[in-house]
Amino acid sequence: MVGNIIENNMVTISGTIVTNLEFSHEVYGEGFYYFMLDVPRLSESYDRIPVTVSERLTSKQKLEIGKVVEIEGQFRSYNSYNNEGNRLVLTVFAREIIFLEDEKRIKNPNQIFLNGYICKKPIYRMTPFGREITDILLAVNRHYNKSDYIPCITWGRNARFSESLTIGDNIKVWGRIQSRSYQKKQESGDALTKVAYEISVSKMEVCKDKDDESADSGEVNDNTDTQDENGYND
């Protein structure tokens, strides 16, 4: 277990609520709801990110379409079972919500820090646009002996470096949460549009030992805001 569990997974996102509040689930009498948040990019487009919030955190009536909010919390995963089988669902779990007057108040709209362990062999590839990327699946510990499994993408020099990482390596990553639409072909031949969520990594470190002595392994990609090309497989 790495340091303080809460500090292993820290997210701050800001944006505009674009869907109505929907019931998600209940735990020991506490209801949880979700909504979608449009988080602005530098490129003047948006990442549409799911947010899960407890009914005890704030009044549900305040979380209405058009409200601008800043969310602090964690990026979590859980398995969803349906007719399509088992799939990994990702959401920002809100620990604090701050209401803003408008989008002009947003300064750093999308930031995430994760400290976890590589749990699947990294996959290096080239995008159709000729960019180097490596896919990483990161297991991040949380309370009650649970872990969140977070897909991450590294770029360029970081991609070449992270290709050599192995299962069990402890790494830290900084970046942003991005949403990406893609087409999945059905048995009928029709194409179904889906949305994937992943961390676009701007900086990473490899933790050398239990004392958390780290070596900076890569570059800060100032233009990761534009590096979410299509062409990845499900």
Side-chain angles (χ1 to χ4, degrees), residues 38-58:
D38 269 4
V39 178
R41 298 185 184 183
L42 295 175
S43 58
E44 297 185 357
S45 58
Y46 291 83
D47 288 294
R48 182 160 291 185
I49 298 173
V51 177
T52 300
V53 58
S54 166
E55 63 184 354
R56 301 177 186 178
L57 188 61
T58 188

Side-chain angles (χ1 to χ4, degrees), residues 10-232:
M10 296 186 291
V11 175
T12 301
I13 56 173
S14 303
T16 303
I17 298 173
V18 292
T19 65
N20 290 316
L21 214 60
E22 298 284 345
F23 179 77
S24 173
H25 62 282
E26 183 176 299
V27 178
Y28 300 118
E30 182 177 3
F32 293 87
Y33 294 78
Y34 72 92
F35 60 88
M36 302 300 291
L37 191 72
D38 269 4
V39 178
R41 298 185 184 183
L42 295 175
S43 58
E44 297 185 357
S45 58
Y46 291 83
D47 288 294
R48 182 160 291 185
I49 298 173
V51 177
T52 300
V53 58
S54 166
E55 63 184 354
R56 301 177 186 178
L57 188 61
T58 188
S59 169
K60 296 193 292 290
Q61 286 72 28
K62 291 183 178 181
L63 297 172
E64 58 185 17
I65 293 176
K67 291 287 188 180
V68 179
V69 294
E70 179 179 279
I71 308 288
E72 292 185 2
Q74 296 180 309
F75 200 42
R76 293 189 177 179
S77 69
Y78 64 92
N79 289 315
S80 175
Y81 301 91
N82 53 35
N83 294 332
E84 297 181 2
N86 179 24
R87 69 187 183 96
L88 187 71
V89 176
L90 296 161
T91 182
V92 172
F93 183 82
R95 291 185 173 275
E96 183 176 358
I97 299 178
I98 300 171
F99 290 87
L100 306 175
E101 293 180 10
D102 53 50
E103 282 196 349
K104 293 180 181 179
R105 299 284 184 176
I106 297 175
K107 295 181 180 179
N108 298 306
N110 193 336
Q111 302 176 81
I112 185 168
F113 167 77
L114 300 173
N115 184 344
Y117 297 86
I118 292 176
C119 58
K120 185 178 179 181
K121 180 176 173 55
I123 299 173
Y124 173 87
R125 65 179 76 180
M126 298 282 289
T127 75
F129 296 89
R131 304 207 69 122
E132 297 176 286
I133 66 171
T134 295
D135 296 323
I136 296 173
L137 186 61
L138 202 61
V140 181
N141 292 329
R142 64 172 149 110
H143 292 299
Y144 309 113
N145 295 318
K146 293 184 178 180
S147 295
D148 293 296
Y149 295 91
I150 312 296
C152 302
I153 291 180
T154 58
W155 305 88
R157 186 158 62 93
N158 281 338
R160 293 192 294 274
F161 174 85
S162 54
E163 180 187 15
S164 64
L165 296 174
T166 60
I167 295 173
D169 282 346
N170 180 199
I171 66 171
K172 297 178 180 180
V173 300
W174 292 259
R176 67 179 181 85
I177 304 170
Q178 69 178 21
S179 61
R180 168 176 55 83
S181 298
Y182 65 97
Q183 299 282 321
K184 185 173 183 180
K185 197 170 184 178
Q186 305 296 292
E187 292 182 0
S188 63
D190 296 331
L192 180 65
T193 299
K194 292 192 170 186
V195 180
Y197 302 97
E198 58 220 353
I199 306 307
S200 180
V201 176
S202 59
K203 180 183 176 183
M204 62 184 297
E205 294 181 357
V206 177
C207 301
K208 288 183 175 180
D209 52 37
K210 293 181 180 179
D211 293 328
D212 201 27
E213 182 181 343
S214 303
D216 192 347
S217 65
E219 62 191 314
V220 175
N221 297 315
D222 292 334
N223 61 342
T224 51
D225 191 71
T226 60
Q227 293 178 336
D228 56 342
E229 298 98 329
N230 295 325
Y232 310 125

